[in-house]
């Protein structure tokens, strides 16, 4: 068992992967009819995959390291084996992602500052909206920052006033942040908690809009070192009271540990830099990278076969309070201008859920990573359901070039008191 994210240009291709076909033709607004059906947990990571790059999207669609390296930190963690570490030094450093355009976002994450910043920090975390992205330029509409005078965190809904937390940050300690950002009316509102304690509500007069992008780190020229872990995000339509406060929790990983019941194993093979060979009982190991690194091993589909798949099982958890599950798949685009196709799925209680279903070839030489939250089954998650998860790769409608999978990882979130 292993207990192991600036501009509107981003909204184009990235949003197409996240909202129903045709939704982008609608003007962003608080009552878009495609928002409601997608209410719920939409993004999560405990950084257990160990991936900080933005190539290919998935975990992070955007990022800057201009002011300091972003890295998957194995030396400072809150849970599991990795956290996100950002160390801007007088320039922007962030990781960001695009979300479906709903009027309410809730987020929970843990943050640790190495030391007390010497000056105010405007953004440790921020959210853009459809309104501020288009009118106010590249600055967050919701900003969570640091107030040097008081040594505490602060939050605001631009252009409203900052609200400073009632307790100080403890350097070197993890603090759990709950935020609820509601932009459904002309009084945008931030409800927030630090370590389970309610803080003064932050409001700002702004047009009703929808959330658009979120960022860990800063888009400003600022200096601090922060680690982020156990990150969860939900979206909701106007009037939805759910998801806040989400409350404390920790995220761990499960990686492949055996082959499952593959369909048409002869349509697949395992390989690395030294050769190719037929699938066998140990081929799961080619997809078991923790962290996900370009180690050269892979599973590929050798022929077009839309009903064929290679299946793996995952390790087990003993946790009884699992609230959310996600999956991360990494594949090799093989630096080709040709197109192909492949699909990755997670099987929950006998029902397949698609994690990625698209072209897997592109003129890039680096690995691409895609991630998705697995829909919660009726009745909620149990340890037995998590332990029975299966991963499937294959289903190719175009196997030229052969689609090639390099890793498959499950992340799951556990409720804490």
């Amino acid at each position: 068992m292993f207990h192991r994210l600036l501009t509107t240009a981003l909204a184009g291709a990235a949003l197409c992967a996240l909202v129903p076909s045709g939704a982008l033709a609608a003007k962003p607004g608080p009552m878009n009819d495609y928002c409601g059906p997608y209410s719920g947990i939409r993004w999560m990571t405990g950084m257990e995959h160990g991936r900080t790059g933005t190539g290919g999207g998935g975990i992070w669609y955007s990022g800057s390291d201009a002011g300091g390296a972003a890295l998957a930190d194995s030396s400072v963690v809150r849970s599991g084996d990795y956290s996100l570490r950002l160390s801007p030094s007088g320039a922007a450093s962030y990781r960001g992602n695009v979300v479906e355009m709903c009027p309410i976002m809730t987020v929970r994450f843990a943050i640790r500052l190495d030391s007390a910043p010497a000056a105010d920090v405007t953004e440790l975390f921020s959210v853009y909206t459809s309104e501020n992205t288009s009118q106010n330029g590249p600055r967050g509409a919701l900003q969570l920052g640091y107030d040097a005078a008081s040594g505490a965190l602060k939050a605001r809904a631009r252009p409203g006033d900052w609200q400073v937390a009632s307790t100080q940050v403890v350097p070197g300690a993890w603090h759990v942040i709950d935020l609820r950002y509601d932009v459904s009316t002309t009084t945008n509102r931030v409800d927030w908690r630090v370590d389970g304690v309610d803080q003064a509500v932050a409001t700002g007069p702004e047009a009703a809009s929808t959330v658009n992008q979120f960022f860990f780190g800063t888009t400003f020229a600022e200096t601090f070192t922060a680690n982020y872990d156990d990150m969860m995000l939900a979206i909701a339509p106007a009037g939805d009271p759910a998801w806040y406060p989400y409350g404390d929790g920790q995220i761990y990983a499960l990686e492949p540990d055996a082959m499952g019941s593959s369909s048409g194993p002869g349509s697949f093979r395992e390989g690395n830099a030294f050769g190719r060979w037929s699938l066998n009982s140990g081929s799961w190991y080619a997809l078991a990278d923790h962290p996900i690194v370009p180690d050269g091993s892979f599973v590929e589909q050798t022929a077009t076969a839309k009903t064929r798949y290679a299946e793996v099982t995952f390790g087990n958890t003993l946790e009884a309070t699992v609230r959310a599950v996600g999956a991360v798949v990494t594949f090799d685009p093989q630096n080709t201008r040709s197109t192909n196709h492949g699909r990755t799925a997670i099987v929950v209680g006998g029902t397949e859920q698609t994690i990625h279903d698209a072209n897997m070839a592109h003129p890039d030489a680096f690995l691409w990573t895609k991630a998705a939250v697995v829909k919660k089954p009726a009745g909620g998650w149990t340890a037995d359901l998590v332990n029975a998860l299966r991963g499937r790769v294959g289903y190719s409608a175009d196997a030229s070039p052969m689609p090639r999978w390099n890793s498959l990882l499950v992340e799951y979130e556990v409720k804490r008191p």
Side-chain angles (χ1 to χ4, degrees):
M1 180 180 69
F2 290 84
H3 270 187
R4 327 232 207 266
L5 153 180
L6 258 172
T7 66
T8 53
L10 291 170
L15 277 173
C16 289
L18 291 167
V19 297
S21 176
L24 291 177
K27 176 178 173 57
M31 294 307 293
N32 282 328
D33 59 7
Y34 57 80
C35 172
Y38 293 85
S39 175
I41 301 297
R42 303 306 299 155
W43 182 91
M44 62 178 285
T45 187
M47 289 299 298
E48 298 310 294
H49 43 77
R51 301 286 285 177
T52 61
T54 60
I59 302 297
W60 310 111
Y61 274 98
S62 61
S64 173
D65 296 333
L71 58 88
D73 194 343
S74 61
S75 62
V76 177
V77 299
R78 180 170 183 263
S79 64
D81 294 316
Y82 294 90
S83 69
L84 171 66
R85 187 174 184 88
L86 296 172
S87 301
S89 180
S93 183
Y94 58 85
R95 284 293 181 267
N97 213 326
V98 177
V99 295
E100 294 100 328
M101 293 183 288
C102 272
I104 299 174
M105 171 191 286
T106 66
V107 63
R108 191 282 321 280
F109 60 90
I111 185 171
R112 175 190 181 275
L113 290 170
D114 266 12
S115 59
D120 284 0
V121 175
T122 305
E123 291 177 349
L124 293 165
F125 173 79
S126 61
V127 178
Y128 286 27
T129 67
S130 56
E131 183 70 20
N132 89 293
T133 301
S134 61
Q135 294 187 8
N136 298 339
R139 292 293 181 257
L142 179 157
Q143 293 170 322
L144 177 75
Y146 176 82
D147 182 70
S150 64
L153 298 175
K154 60 181 179 178
R156 72 170 170 177
R158 293 179 68 231
D161 294 332
W162 287 105
Q163 299 296 330
V164 179
S166 58
T167 57
Q168 291 184 313
V169 168
V170 178
W174 288 99
H175 296 281
V176 178
I177 310 301
D178 270 295
L179 288 165
R180 183 178 190 268
Y181 188 33
D182 187 341
V183 297
S184 63
T185 73
T186 55
T187 300
N188 292 184
R189 174 183 175 120
V190 180
D191 295 274
W192 60 305
R193 285 184 167 193
V194 179
D195 296 329
V197 178
D198 288 322
Q199 306 299 322
V201 173
T203 61
E206 184 59 275
S209 59
T210 53
V211 294
N212 184 294
Q213 305 169 59
F214 63 95
F215 298 90
F216 290 93
T218 182
T219 63
F220 287 81
E222 303 187 300
T223 299
F224 61 86
T225 297
N227 284 70
Y228 302 82
D229 206 349
D230 300 320
M231 296 166 273
M232 301 282 296
L233 183 145
I235 53 125
D240 191 335
W243 309 107
Y244 179 83
Y246 191 73
D248 196 5
Q250 297 175 323
I251 298 176
Y252 301 101
L254 300 173
E255 62 181 274
D257 67 348
M259 295 302 294
S261 300
S262 300
S263 172
S267 297
F268 300 86
R269 65 185 179 187
E270 182 186 351
N272 58 30
F274 302 102
R276 311 286 189 273
W277 52 92
S278 299
L279 289 190
N280 56 73
S281 61
S283 292
W284 59 270
Y285 193 75
L287 299 177
D289 295 329
H290 183 76
I292 293 173
V293 294
D295 65 354
S297 61
F298 55 83
V299 169
E300 64 184 4
Q301 187 162 357
T302 59
T304 297
K306 294 187 286 186
T307 63
R308 304 298 190 185
Y309 55 83
E311 184 181 87
V312 296
T313 64
F314 297 94
N316 289 345
T317 180
L318 298 176
E319 300 283 357
T321 54
V322 175
R323 290 190 293 185
V325 173
V328 184
V329 59
T330 300
F331 59 89
D332 185 353
Q334 302 179 68
N335 196 21
T336 176
R337 295 188 180 277
S338 300
T339 59
N340 63 5
H341 170 262
R343 183 161 73 93
T344 302
I346 297 292
V347 183
V348 184
T351 300
E352 277 193 357
Q353 294 190 35
T354 297
I355 302 303
H356 180 253
D357 184 3
N359 172 31
M360 292 173 55
H362 194 272
D364 283 321
F366 51 80
L367 297 182
W368 279 31
T369 301
K370 299 295 183 180
V373 173
V374 179
K375 183 180 178 182
K376 183 170 65 174
W381 290 104
T382 65
D384 286 345
L385 279 171
V386 174
N387 293 340
L389 292 174
R390 300 290 185 267
R392 293 175 178 175
V393 299
Y395 306 97
S396 180
D398 180 357
S400 178
M402 300 175 190
R404 182 177 296 174
W405 293 262
N406 294 74
S407 63
L408 182 57
L409 186 75
V410 165
E411 289 189 304
Y412 65 101
E413 192 261 2
V414 178
K415 182 180 179 180
R416 295 301 183 212

